[in-house]
Amino acid sequence: MVEHIIEGSLRNKAMVLLTLLLGVMLSVWAMKHTALDALPDLTPPQVIVSVEFPGQSPKVIEDQVVYELTSALLSVPKSSTVRAFTSFGNALVYVIFDDATDLYWARDRVSEVIASVAKTVPQEASIRLGPDATGIGWVFEYALTSNTKSLQELRTLQDYVYRYALLGVEGVSEVASVGGFVKTYEITLRQDDLVRYDLGISQVKNAIAQNNRDVGGGVLLENGFEHMVQAKGYAKSAADLLAIPLGSPKGVPLTLGDIADVTLVPSYRSGLAELNGEGEVVGGIVVVRYKENAYKVIQAVKERLESLHVNDVEVITTYDRSDLILNAITNLQNVLLEESVVVFAVVMLFLLHVRSALVVLIILPLTIALTFLLMKLFGIESNIMSLGGIAIAIGAMVDACVVMIENVHKKLGGKKGISETERVATIITSSKQVGRPIFFALLIIVVSFLPIFSLGGQEGALFKPLAYTKTFAMLIGAILAITFVPVLMVFFIKGTLHREEKNPLNRFFIAAYGVLLKFSMRFWYLSIAVFVGLLIFGYHTYTKQRWEFMPPLHEQALMYMPVTSSGISIETAKAYAKQSNAIIKSFPEVESTFAKVGRAATATDPAPLSMIETIIQFKPQSQWREGVTYASLQEEMNAKLQLPGLVNSWTFPIRGRIDMLITGMRTPLGIKLYGDNDEALEKSAQAIATALGTHQDTRSVFADKSNSGYYLDISLNPEPLAQYGMDKEAVLEVIAAAVGGAKISTFFEGIERYPITLRLELEHRSDLEALKALAIKTPYGFQPLETFATLAHTLSPGMMKTEMGKKVTYVYITLNEGTSSKTYKEEASALLANVPLPTGFYTEWAGESEYLEGAMERLKFIIPLALLLTFVLIFLGLRSLGQAVLVFLTLPFAVVGGFIYMDYLNFNLSIATIAGFLALIGIAVETAIVMIIYLNEAVATLKVRTKETLRQAVFEGAVLRVRPKLMTVLSTLLGLLPIMWAQGAGSEVMQRIAAPMIGGLVSSAILTLFIIPVVYYKLQKEDQ
């Protein structure tokens, strides 16, 4: 079949060229329209539900809203996890779905549940669907600063100018505000006046609500025209509010101004922003929509910001992922260019024929371009991993092309005066001779990577783009090899072609290889012994390897995430943020440091007030102190940031956000402790943290203070309420409004909306004693609150966490650099065996160790299946069971080289290195198949088969055809080397993939050149 395709392509050159021209045009379009991002989206489909219940404690929100909501969400189809975080005034519920679930289908299902549950919860509670964005949606952050405007004015500008302007950018899902003050019209009641005029809180509250609204009166027909009737009752100023009538208690006409003042105060703040240790600022966070082109959106956002001109307001970029995207893409583009140059150089050095090298130079960019076309068709964006798949395939995807060109040179080399017909016939014959086995060899490279497609979860999301693009490149390379390459050879391979031995480089390799191979064939038992010895050494090297889920992926920005004591005030958190930012900014390598304390106004941010997230942007590395690296700089910072009350934790902006949204935890590794008692959960979590703190590889460990929220409990007593003829609602309304400052109406200022709240003077609600004396209106006059309730300070959860309906608390673990999460879990589990847990409590590891285990569970079933399929393809390519077995047995030796090189580089085993080993399998098989092809060709020419003639034929088949073997090995091997010296974004992951391939290619080349001819000769001799 392959032979017929080659012939058909040469008969229909015009059709082949037109088809490829169309493909190139479509590929150019695809490259211009392929989405750009730094990393694939690693988060599973998830829907976030936001609950707002202002002024309410976590316990109230949990009991009255969250329990009902999570119970209903547990039954949503295809949902795998329902996780809830409840804090003061709000809650976030995360519904995580199976990997293949369509996000918008999932949002529809969750919306149905929200509509049902909303009917059963208090009217004051609002339940909303979060944005259609994912864990890596935070692509751009900025800060607003001004020399003349207050934080309240800046927040107003952010909410009503910058936010609305950016929401209009295509692809933006949400613009979240953080920091500053939201203006509130607070009606401050004077308790003495309420008592004097015998007014209750409910009377005042109702009067305000009834005197602050507009209504429509339909249409009035007059003089042939319609006049729309509207009655305006909205307050336009504080004076309008003070003029609201309250009736005539005791016969005296009253207005609100007689018993209250109206003041502008800031709303309760659940977060703030600090820049460079210089003070508070107002921040904005741009969240990109699911599946949007992140780079394109960021560029549009920056253009929109540049078009907004507000006097004396400076917009400072505090995080810009487009820098990472550009650096990552540019880095890999440079690697691709360097690899292409290397492959071209290899062909030139061995063939000394420019036009033949041009064939390879045409095929390389063509293959890459057509790969982009398939990426666009399959919806794969351009990022570190997808471009990395092309990078690791550069050498291998033109192997068939190289072998076919070399075979033509072998047949035509040294021939002069041949006719055009003879030249074309020779090209056809040469192409058909190696076309089928090489085509199968390339298919094997594709098949060997199939286990990556079986990965699920985070590891699947990360490596599938790489697997797709590598597979696309290899398939396109294989198809072009049997269609377009023969056509190009007819056009380009003309004139005088030098014989192989005329090239000094070829003569050197033939001579050197001939001597070594003779020695190996004569002392074959020694060769086999060396082979076995290296296998044993390779196994020993493997046993020393440590496992990790993924190598660190430096994002060119760092996120400092210290944790503080639960229940701290916003002023204390602000002081921590300012002090830590000042220390970080003192390092000369730092460009800016932007701290977010607590939550931004978005459902994608579950951070409590005790959590600080600081984005650190760095200057270009050319401006760093000599010898300073990311790792050493982080160590320096960590040493200087040993502040009392803070436990340090470090991650990266994208990585940290993904961890928080997938596992709920802010560190890459942690433990979840499940139980049913808040106090016992806190004590047990602290015991676990103490035990883990003794492990030598624990950099920091911190347990949630799950029962350390500070409360002032007001417990109503039914008996005195009954004595005064009252119900609990009368007292609860006073506490919610007069103490809590509940929103009772809205103040409109054009497009701006501000809450109107009701509250007593501070002196009547400032402490426990003041609250005891709070005046409650009864049918028999005013009585102090302590008459009806018991007031006391208590400790309870400041944030409540549940997962799948069960209470949970977290232990956050940060490991020392280079520590294997798998090994750490095994050793730490032994430590935790000595930590007793209450009955019904249990722990669950979360993060990297579980990702690794999940991936390994899948791979241990899929890899054997892929190996079996590989063997079948080898057999189909060679049509000899013995030779198929011989080729297949080269794989262990290839893997050995990978382990040795990884050990030399001090790389841990990870999913990235597994991807490298899987890529190596196909390339090693291809190298062995090329050797078998030429050995078979040499033996087939024998007219008389004797021991000596067979030995000579094997020797000649190996030595005299060393050029194509070295060309394929070196084009792949040297093509991978640029990855190893690359230093840009994404290089860490790509080096872990390339390292086993490089080491394995060296060892498999040695095996192919020396062991295969020896074993092949022995097998042929036995057959004889």
Side-chain angles (χ1 to χ4, degrees):
M1 176 182 172
V2 173
E3 291 85 350
H4 293 311
I5 292 174
I6 292 172
E7 286 184 356
S9 299
L10 287 168
R11 281 197 305 267
N12 300 279
K13 299 184 189 72
M15 180 69 71
V16 172
L17 292 173
L18 287 173
T19 302
L20 283 173
L21 179 61
L22 177 62
V24 169
M25 294 170 63
L26 291 173
S27 298
V28 172
W29 169 83
M31 284 188 277
K32 289 182 177 179
H33 293 86
T34 299
L36 296 177
D37 206 338
L39 282 173
D41 189 350
L42 306 185
T43 55
Q46 61 180 327
V47 179
I48 307 174
V49 181
S50 173
V51 177
E52 297 291 335
F53 202 169
Q56 303 304 315
S57 70
K59 178 66 174 172
V60 171
I61 300 174
E62 179 76 22
D63 291 343
Q64 297 186 19
V65 183
V66 173
Y67 176 78
E68 296 288 339
L69 184 59
T70 54
S71 298
L73 289 171
L74 286 172
S75 62
V76 171
K78 299 184 181 180
S79 63
S80 57
T81 301
V82 177
R83 182 184 300 122
F85 300 116
T86 308
S87 54
F88 179 74
N90 64 80
L92 294 174
V93 180
Y94 293 80
V95 188
I96 299 176
F97 288 82
D98 298 337
D99 286 341
T101 308
D102 177 74
L103 178 65
Y104 292 98
W105 178 91
R107 288 173 65 85
D108 287 343
R109 303 290 79 73
V110 173
S111 294
E112 293 168 2
V113 172
I114 291 175
S116 174
V117 172
K119 301 172 184 176
T120 66
V121 302
Q123 290 184 350
E124 296 84 357
S126 66
I127 306 175
R128 300 195 310 272
L129 207 59
D132 53 344
T134 67
I136 63 171
W138 290 29
V139 297
F140 187 83
E141 299 178 32
Y142 59 90
L144 303 180
T145 63
S146 174
N147 294 322
T148 59
K149 297 186 185 300
S150 67
L151 287 172
Q152 178 255 305
E153 291 173 310
L154 287 174
R155 178 61 184 257
T156 299
L157 286 170
Q158 162 59 22
D159 287 342
Y160 295 103
V161 176
Y162 290 94
R163 178 171 171 269
Y164 284 139
L166 296 181
L167 282 172
V169 173
E170 181 66 28
V172 172
S173 175
E174 185 178 38
V175 179
S177 302
V178 61
F181 299 100
V182 175
K183 183 167 65 175
T184 299
Y185 285 82
E186 182 180 280
I187 299 172
T188 309
L189 298 171
R190 297 185 289 272
Q191 183 169 279
D192 293 343
D193 289 334
L194 289 173
V195 174
R196 180 182 303 117
Y197 294 109
D198 194 30
L199 286 173
I201 295 293
S202 61
Q203 292 172 269
V204 178
K205 179 181 174 183
N206 292 335
I208 295 170
Q210 292 168 6
N211 285 274
N212 187 48
R213 69 190 188 104
D214 287 356
V215 297
V219 175
L220 180 66
L221 295 175
E222 189 175 7
N223 298 325
F225 292 93
E226 288 186 348
H227 294 260
M228 289 173 281
V229 179
Q230 56 180 358
K232 296 184 177 182
Y234 277 125
K236 301 297 183 183
S237 65
D240 288 348
L241 290 173
L242 291 173
I244 290 175
L246 299 177
S248 303
K250 297 185 179 182
V252 181
L254 285 180
T255 63
L256 187 60
D258 294 322
I259 63 166
D261 298 310
V262 176
T263 54
L264 292 178
V265 299
S267 295
Y268 171 79
R269 297 203 294 167
S270 59
L272 63 84
E274 209 282 345
L275 181 65
N276 295 333
E278 298 170 358
E280 275 195 72
V281 294
V282 173
I285 301 166
V286 178
V287 185
V288 72
R289 185 170 288 118
Y290 176 68
K291 292 292 185 184
E292 282 290 340
N293 185 336
Y295 182 78
K296 182 179 177 182
V297 173
I298 294 170
Q299 298 308 112
V301 164
K302 290 195 286 191
E303 288 176 9
R304 183 63 57 86
L305 284 174
E306 288 177 4
S307 70
L308 296 174
H309 300 290
V310 180
N311 289 335
D312 196 37
V313 175
E314 183 182 4
V315 181
I316 299 173
T317 300
T318 57
Y319 176 68
D320 182 357
R321 193 186 297 167
S322 65
D323 294 337
L324 174 63
I325 295 171
L326 271 183
N327 289 337
I329 301 300
T330 302
N331 180 46
L332 282 168
Q333 285 176 340
N334 291 337
V335 167
L336 290 172
L337 180 61
E338 291 167 359
E339 290 178 327
S340 301
V341 171
V342 167
V343 173
F344 178 80
V346 168
V347 176
M348 273 297 300
L349 286 172
F350 279 95
L351 298 181
L352 296 179
H353 192 256
V354 176
R355 282 180 294 183
S356 296
L358 285 175
V359 175
V360 176
L361 203 59
I362 292 170
I363 292 296
L364 268 173
L366 184 58
T367 305
I368 294 171
L370 292 172
T371 300
F372 269 94
L373 177 58
L374 290 182
M375 285 170 60
K376 181 65 178 176
L377 293 175
F378 281 79
I380 299 170
E381 65 183 13
S382 181
N383 54 49
I384 290 172
M385 300 309 294
S386 59
L387 291 184
I390 300 174
I392 65 173
I394 280 284
M397 69 188 182
V398 294
D399 275 354
C401 174
V402 169
V403 171
M404 293 176 79
I405 293 171
E406 194 282 334
N407 205 41
V408 170
H409 272 255
K410 183 69 176 178
K411 303 296 184 184
L412 294 177
K415 292 185 178 180
K416 296 181 181 180
I418 62 171
S419 65
E420 178 66 13
T421 303
E422 187 180 354
R423 183 183 72 86
V424 172
T426 304
I427 290 174
I428 295 173
T429 303
S430 302
S431 299
K432 290 165 65 176
Q433 182 182 14
V434 295
R436 184 176 59 83
I438 287 298
F439 181 80
F440 275 102
L442 292 181
L443 287 183
I444 290 168
I445 293 176
V446 172
V447 168
S448 66
F449 225 54
L450 290 181
I452 298 298
F453 292 102
S454 72
L455 293 174
Q458 191 176 158
E459 60 277 7
L462 184 64
F463 285 103
K464 281 181 181 177
L466 179 141
Y468 273 114
T469 52
K470 182 179 183 297
T471 300
F472 293 159
M474 297 308 302
L475 285 174
I476 292 169
I479 292 169
L480 290 179
I482 59 175
T483 55
F484 191 43
V485 171
V487 174
L488 285 178
M489 289 194 297
V490 169
F491 288 142
F492 283 90
I493 303 182
K494 297 179 179 179
T496 302
L497 302 180
H498 299 290
R499 294 182 62 85
E500 189 173 350
E501 58 272 15
K502 294 289 185 179
N503 187 333
L505 185 65
N506 292 332
R507 287 202 304 272
F508 167 77
F509 280 118
I510 289 172
Y513 178 42
V515 172
L516 294 173
L517 183 59
K518 281 182 179 179
F519 180 84
S520 297
M521 294 183 72
R522 182 175 181 182
F523 301 100
W524 60 269
Y525 46 85
L526 185 59
S527 301
I528 300 297
V530 171
F531 168 65
V532 173
L534 282 173
L535 282 178
I536 295 171
F537 177 71
Y539 177 76
H540 171 69
T541 304
Y542 166 73
T543 59
K544 296 191 300 178
Q545 294 283 335
R546 305 183 75 184
W547 280 93
E548 63 185 3
F549 173 64
M550 274 294 297
L553 179 60
H554 292 288
E555 300 175 17
Q556 298 180 348
L558 201 58
M559 186 151 74
Y560 171 58
M561 295 180 64
V563 287
T564 66
S565 300
S566 178
I568 66 167
S569 70
I570 196 164
E571 289 301 319
T572 304
K574 173 184 171 181
Y576 278 133
K578 186 173 183 179
Q579 186 179 2
S580 59
N581 269 0
I583 293 172
I584 294 169
K585 189 65 173 67
S586 68
F587 286 85
E589 292 79 10
V590 173
E591 181 71 34
S592 69
T593 172
F594 178 68
K596 178 183 72 67
V597 176
R599 282 190 66 212
T602 169
T604 58
D605 187 11
L609 199 55
S610 59
M611 183 172 168
I612 302 172
E613 299 173 37
T614 301
I615 300 291
I616 305 169
Q617 291 198 122
F618 296 102
K619 297 174 183 175
Q621 282 191 277
S622 59
Q623 300 178 27
W624 288 20
R625 290 167 290 163
E626 188 175 350
V628 174
T629 63
Y630 280 106
S632 67
L633 187 56
Q634 184 180 323
E635 289 296 332
E636 280 189 68
M637 290 179 176
N638 193 64
K640 281 195 174 183
L641 287 166
Q642 298 301 316
L643 304 178
L646 293 185
V647 178
N648 292 344
S649 174
W650 298 86
T651 184
F652 301 100
I654 300 175
R655 176 78 260 174
R657 193 67 46 197
I658 289 170
D659 287 334
M660 280 190 282
L661 292 183
I662 291 181
T663 66
M665 310 186 79
R666 67 192 75 163
T667 51
L669 187 64
I671 294 175
K672 296 181 178 181
L673 174 63
Y674 295 87
D676 53 13
N677 180 278
D678 296 313
E679 185 177 353
L681 276 171
E682 181 174 325
K683 289 181 179 178
S684 298
Q686 188 56 51
I688 290 171
T690 302
L692 293 176
T694 63
H695 195 285
Q696 69 274 12
D697 287 325
T698 302
R699 183 175 192 171
S700 67
V701 59
F702 183 84
D704 268 338
K705 304 293 185 182
S706 55
N707 198 50
S708 294
Y710 299 103
Y711 286 77
L712 198 161
D713 278 356
I714 302 174
S715 303
L716 299 182
N717 301 320
E719 291 183 7
L721 287 170
Q723 291 171 3
Y724 282 86
M726 297 174 61
D727 54 29
K728 292 182 179 180
E729 182 60 31
V731 179
L732 294 174
E733 187 176 35
V734 173
I735 295 168
V739 178
K743 177 183 173 182
I744 57 172
S745 190
T746 300
F747 194 94
F748 293 83
E749 292 183 14
I751 64 169
E752 299 171 21
R753 307 286 188 270
Y754 298 107
I756 300 174
T757 63
L758 196 64
R759 223 170 190 184
L760 285 172
E761 292 174 305
L762 181 62
E763 62 189 78
H764 296 294
R765 54 180 173 82
S766 58
D767 55 30
L768 180 62
E769 294 306 316
L771 288 177
K772 285 182 179 180
L774 187 67
I776 306 295
K777 185 181 179 184
T778 75
Y780 307 102
F782 285 86
Q783 296 295 325
L785 177 60
E786 63 181 344
T787 303
F788 308 105
T790 303
L791 289 78
H793 289 294
T794 62
L795 286 177
S796 272
M799 173 179 266
M800 302 186 73
K801 296 176 180 160
T802 61
E803 195 157 322
M804 301 306 287
K806 194 166 181 65
K807 288 183 178 181
V808 64
T809 192
Y810 298 155
V811 179
Y812 306 96
I813 305 166
T814 303
L815 304 181
N816 290 327
E817 189 76 26
T819 300
S820 163
S821 57
K822 179 176 182 291
T823 305
Y824 181 88
K825 177 186 174 182
E826 293 169 353
E827 296 173 356
S829 296
L831 288 174
L832 297 182
N834 300 319
V835 178
L837 295 178
T839 303
F841 283 51
Y842 62 93
T843 60
E844 183 181 276
W845 285 84
E848 289 189 349
S849 61
E850 303 313 292
Y851 305 151
L852 181 60
E853 283 189 12
M856 296 306 293
E857 281 296 317
R858 291 184 182 91
L859 289 175
K860 70 182 182 182
F861 291 107
I862 300 298
I863 288 178
L865 184 62
L867 290 175
L868 177 62
L869 190 54
T870 298
F871 179 79
V872 171
L873 287 175
I874 296 171
F875 175 73
L876 291 175
L878 296 175
R879 297 178 180 174
S880 167
L881 182 61
Q883 292 176 4
V885 171
L886 176 58
V887 170
F888 192 75
L889 291 179
T890 63
L891 298 183
F893 199 69
V895 172
V896 162
F899 284 133
I900 293 172
Y901 188 49
M902 282 178 55
D903 185 60
Y904 168 74
L905 296 173
N906 200 28
F907 284 175
N908 287 335
L909 284 170
S910 63
I911 303 301
T913 59
I914 289 177
F917 278 113
L918 291 172
L920 168 65
I921 287 173
I923 298 171
V925 166
E926 181 202 29
T927 307
I929 286 176
V930 171
M931 173 63 85
I932 295 293
I933 290 171
Y934 291 122
L935 292 178
N936 286 340
E937 181 185 341
V939 171
T941 60
L942 286 178
K943 296 180 180 179
V944 179
R945 287 174 64 98
T946 65
K947 181 178 178 181
E948 288 305 319
T949 58
L950 182 60
R951 178 193 292 269
Q952 187 61 29
V954 170
F955 180 81
E956 290 179 358
V959 174
L960 298 183
R961 302 302 290 123
V962 72
R963 183 172 68 177
K965 299 156 200 157
L966 287 178
M967 287 177 69
T968 55
V969 169
L970 290 177
S971 62
T972 305
L973 178 63
L974 298 179
L976 290 169
L977 288 181
I979 295 175
M980 299 308 296
W981 62 62
Q983 295 296 322
S987 59
E988 304 92 349
V989 175
M990 297 316 303
Q991 286 167 3
R992 266 62 174 191
I993 298 173
M997 296 175 67
I998 292 172
L1001 274 170
V1002 172
S1003 62
S1004 68
I1006 294 171
L1007 175 76
T1008 300
L1009 292 174
F1010 297 104
I1011 305 299
I1012 285 184
V1014 171
V1015 178
Y1016 182 90
Y1017 168 67
K1018 290 294 180 184
L1019 291 175
Q1020 289 289 334
K1021 191 170 70 170
E1022 291 297 324
D1023 290 343
Q1024 186 179 3

